[in-house]
């Protein structure tokens, strides 16, 4: 593999990781002001914000959570049910 092609592949990898926010994992995915509030999507419907999952381990410095995969249906469009999967519910999952 020549050096130009290798440099191009490394550049593409870096840009891909930067776009996925993998290179800055400490950065929040949404502004803190949005936490716990509903946001509107482009159809005017409120988007569900998952509840915070409770830590079941009382020991300081440790956390333990129980996650269960569940199936169900959700109406994203009125009158149309869509099969969905979620954790601890039929759609999405709790925030950890």
């Amino acid at each position: 593999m020549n050096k130009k092609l290798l440099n191009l592949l490394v550049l593409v990898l870096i840009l891909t990781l930067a776009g996925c926010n993998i290179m800055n994992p400490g950065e929040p995915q949404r502004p803190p002001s949005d936490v716990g509030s509903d946001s509107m999507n482009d159809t005017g419907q409120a988007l569900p914000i998952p509840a915070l999952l409770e830590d079941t381990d009382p020991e300081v410095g440790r956390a333990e959570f129980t996650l269960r995969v569940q199936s169900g249906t959700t109406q994203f469009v009125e009158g149309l049910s869509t099969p969905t999967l979620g954790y601890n519910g039929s759609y999405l999952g709790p925030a950890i």
Side-chain angles (χ1 to χ4, degrees), residues 7 64 73 78 93:
N7 287 339
E64 186 174 313
T73 58
E78 188 176 336

Side-chain angles (χ1 to χ4, degrees), residues 30-38 49:
R30 60 181 178 212
S33 61
D34 286 350
V35 174
S37 65
D38 286 341
I49 304 299

Side-chain angles (χ1 to χ4, degrees), residues 1 3 9-10 15 20 23-24 31 37 39 41-42 47 51-54 59 61 69-71 78-80 82 92 94:
M1 185 179 301
K3 191 170 184 172
L9 289 174
V10 169
L15 292 175
C20 294
M23 294 185 71
N24 296 312
S37 65
S39 298
N41 65 16
D42 58 355
L47 296 173
L52 184 63
L53 187 60
E54 288 189 39
E59 186 176 331
V69 177
Q70 295 177 255
S71 62
E78 188 176 336
L80 181 63
T82 303
L92 295 177

Side-chain angles (χ1 to χ4, degrees), residues 1-19:
M1 185 179 301
N2 68 35
K3 191 170 184 172
K4 280 187 176 184
L5 182 58
L6 181 61
N7 287 339
L8 178 62
L9 289 174
V10 169
L11 178 62
V12 169
L13 178 64
I14 289 170
L15 292 175
T16 301
L17 294 175

